[in-house]
Amino acid sequence: MSKNNSTNYFKTRRTYLAACLCLPLVFITCHEQEKKAQRNDLDNKISTLDKKIQETQDLRTAKMPAHLHNTQSRYINAADSLDKKADTVGICMMENEDLLLLAFNNYAVRIGKNFQMSDFLSKNDITTLQQHIAQFDSADFVQDMARERILHNNGSLNDLSYFLELLDFDSINSKLDNKLAWNFYTDSTNIDSEEPVETSVLNFEKPELNQALITEQNLLKRAWKRNTLQEELNKTDSLQNIDMANAIDSTTQTQIASKYDSLKTQMVKTFTEMPEYVPNFNIPEFESVRKQYLHNDSVINNYNEIFFDMSKAEDSLEQYRQSIIRQRDSLVEKRNELTR
């Protein structure tokens, strides 16, 4: 009886021992099976997202969620409209450039009549300068017109200034009665610098000639007006502060803030699209091209507005696509962790 009990005891103990040894193996096997199932699940999800990313490469044909359907339609319509108007806008831009160049040239001719080279320089100087300038060839319209005037004996001091730094200084100076010289002026346009910046300009040795040249150039600068929209933005800020101070309650303040924010957003958008300087249509030569210029400008502005709207819609669609990419990358990272 005792022997049987001992035998059963050892059998039971061996069974428990075997079970204990097998449990980790079973656990490891189950854990690996679970990891494999997770990997397979992640692989399927990653594959699905890869397909969606591939399908959304073309934002026009991409399958979008319901809340982006209108945005996609807006994007497609704007892009199609831009394609149709691209040639017209290109023509308008080139024509406006030509109109301004022609207006400026005509204005320069009128102003230059009071600053003729023949009134300030000797016949010898003019002949010497003509011989050198005749060798220059320019693709720039304004400079080329100035060259033609100089060679036809009706060039102004400003016309001449376009070519001074192109001349061989030492060679030509030895032949001139009115010598050229490097003069230094404070650069008043450099507002970013804390200290005044001096710039060197090759003009004349005689101060009276330089003064006449500067006077002509200052008159020509009237052809362009600085974009004053920044001043309007500042005025808007001042008006908003006054209105906010007089607001009765917080609701009214919120409405005022919303109103001015919308106005400033539109003004800033316009400001960034405008060049720093715009034509001065108070000058007769520019007034003569004003109607056609503004017509072309309205076509260009309309194109820019459509482009701006298309860009906003494109950004929204692209954000959706990027969200899929980020989701896929996150799953890939999890998949890689399971293989470690």
Side-chain angles (χ1 to χ4, degrees), residues 23-35:
L23 275 175
L25 293 175
V26 172
F27 176 78
I28 291 170
T29 303
C30 291
H31 184 62
E32 281 302 317
Q33 289 295 324
E34 184 182 352
K35 285 178 71 174

Side-chain angles (χ1 to χ4, degrees), residues 252-267:
T252 307
Q253 286 186 338
T254 302
Q255 292 172 345
I256 290 171
S258 175
K259 167 191 164 187
Y260 279 102
D261 283 346
S262 175
L263 177 61
K264 283 187 286 188
T265 299
Q266 184 58 38
M267 289 176 73

